[in-house]
Amino acid sequence: FLLVDEAGGIAEVNEATVALYDYSAEELMSMPVWKLCETQEPSEFRAYWSASAGAGGALFESTHRRKDGAPLDIEMSVSAITIEGKPYRQCFMRDITRRKEMHAALTETLDRLQEAQHIGRIGDWNYDLASGAVTWSSELFALNGRSRSDPPRDLEDSLCVYDEVSRQGFRSTLARCAAERTQVECELRARLPDGRTAHHHLVLAPIVQAETVTRVHATVQDITGRRHAEEALRRMLLRVQEFLTP
């Protein structure tokens, strides 16, 4: 907690703030509040002062510095109060450095996953059994030749690139996955918007909550290249067999 006057002077601090910044209370109360900010610019303080003038105050995120120079990601709830006729801002601060680090690590992991999916031509989707909503990963849009601005409306719309035999087989596989609460696999034949034929291998896994399957997660891999290689090998073996047959 900080109590700040109109000139930016720190009028009051609590022990948690002393521990957070590693300054003594006397040191904090002898410096302008913007010295705690990374920019150390009075203009930043004035912007906070103006934005928090309303009845509801304001919430800010800013990078501050400890006494030893270590960065702190701070979330500040700032509100205006008046004491003995003078305006002040009371600032309640929360250290969100760890949260920011975790978010950055998660973002990096997701970026790596997306890159791995792109290289491996792998996408995934989630199907909510209650609402019928289907969400696709970025790579799945690419695999299906579909724009990200045109997300699937429902499960049937998600299956529109597959032929009827594949769709029927998928429905049976999905029903088994949900009924038996077990991971299942299937292969589907797609006709893409540009006219190409693609072969997809799907692994479906149930998501169980409170002993009920609520969602199904599917991993989709484009195995078209493998199927073409297998077909080429089959034809070559047939030619060899014909050559060897008297």
Side-chain angles (χ1 to χ4, degrees), residues 3 9 12 16 31 34 58 69 71 82-83 92 106 121 193 198 209 211 229:
L3 184 66
E12 185 179 333
M31 67 173 68
W34 58 79
T82 301
I83 301 176
F92 294 93
L106 176 60
R121 296 189 60 75
Q209 294 180 332
E211 300 186 358

Side-chain angles (χ1 to χ4, degrees), residues 33-47:
V33 69
W34 58 79
K35 288 296 184 181
L36 297 175
C37 301
E38 185 175 47
T39 62
Q40 296 195 349
E41 290 291 336
S43 59
E44 186 172 353
F45 161 71
R46 288 194 290 269

Side-chain angles (χ1 to χ4, degrees), residues 119-139:
I119 293 172
R121 296 189 60 75
I122 298 172
D124 67 277
W125 55 254
N126 276 289
Y127 172 50
D128 188 301
L129 273 67
S131 68
V134 181
T135 55
W136 286 6
S137 69
S138 298
E139 186 60 24

Side-chain angles (χ1 to χ4, degrees), residues 5-17:
D5 64 27
E6 191 172 12
I10 300 174
E12 185 179 333
V13 300
N14 63 2
E15 292 182 1
T17 301

Side-chain angles (χ1 to χ4, degrees), residues 29-141:
M29 294 173 67
S30 68
M31 67 173 68
V33 69
W34 58 79
K35 288 296 184 181
L36 297 175
C37 301
E38 185 175 47
T39 62
Q40 296 195 349
E41 290 291 336
S43 59
E44 186 172 353
F45 161 71
R46 288 194 290 269
Y48 292 163
W49 184 275
S50 300
S52 58
L59 190 67
F60 306 100
E61 287 188 12
S62 179
T63 301
H64 289 193
R65 293 283 177 182
R66 288 168 51 91
K67 185 176 182 179
D68 62 5
L72 289 170
D73 288 307
I74 297 294
E75 182 182 78
M76 297 184 297
S77 176
V78 183
S79 57
I81 62 170
T82 301
I83 301 176
E84 297 180 352
K86 296 181 179 180
Y88 289 88
R89 294 293 185 268
Q90 55 181 2
C91 310
F92 294 93
M93 281 110 49
R94 185 161 60 128
D95 183 359
I96 59 171
T97 305
R98 180 58 179 160
R99 188 179 79 186
K100 288 276 192 176
E101 291 173 346
M102 292 176 64
H103 182 268
L106 176 60
T107 300
E108 182 180 0
T109 299
L110 291 175
D111 288 344
R112 289 180 177 177
L113 174 60
Q114 186 170 338
E115 180 64 18
Q117 287 190 336
H118 176 69
I119 293 172
R121 296 189 60 75
I122 298 172
D124 67 277
W125 55 254
N126 276 289
Y127 172 50
D128 188 301
L129 273 67
S131 68
V134 181
T135 55
W136 286 6
S137 69
S138 298
E139 186 60 24
L140 190 54
F141 282 95

Side-chain angles (χ1 to χ4, degrees), residues 200-215:
H200 293 168
H201 178 258
L202 279 70
V203 178
L204 281 66
I207 308 300
V208 180
Q209 294 180 332
E211 300 186 358
T212 300
V213 177
T214 58
R215 292 183 296 118

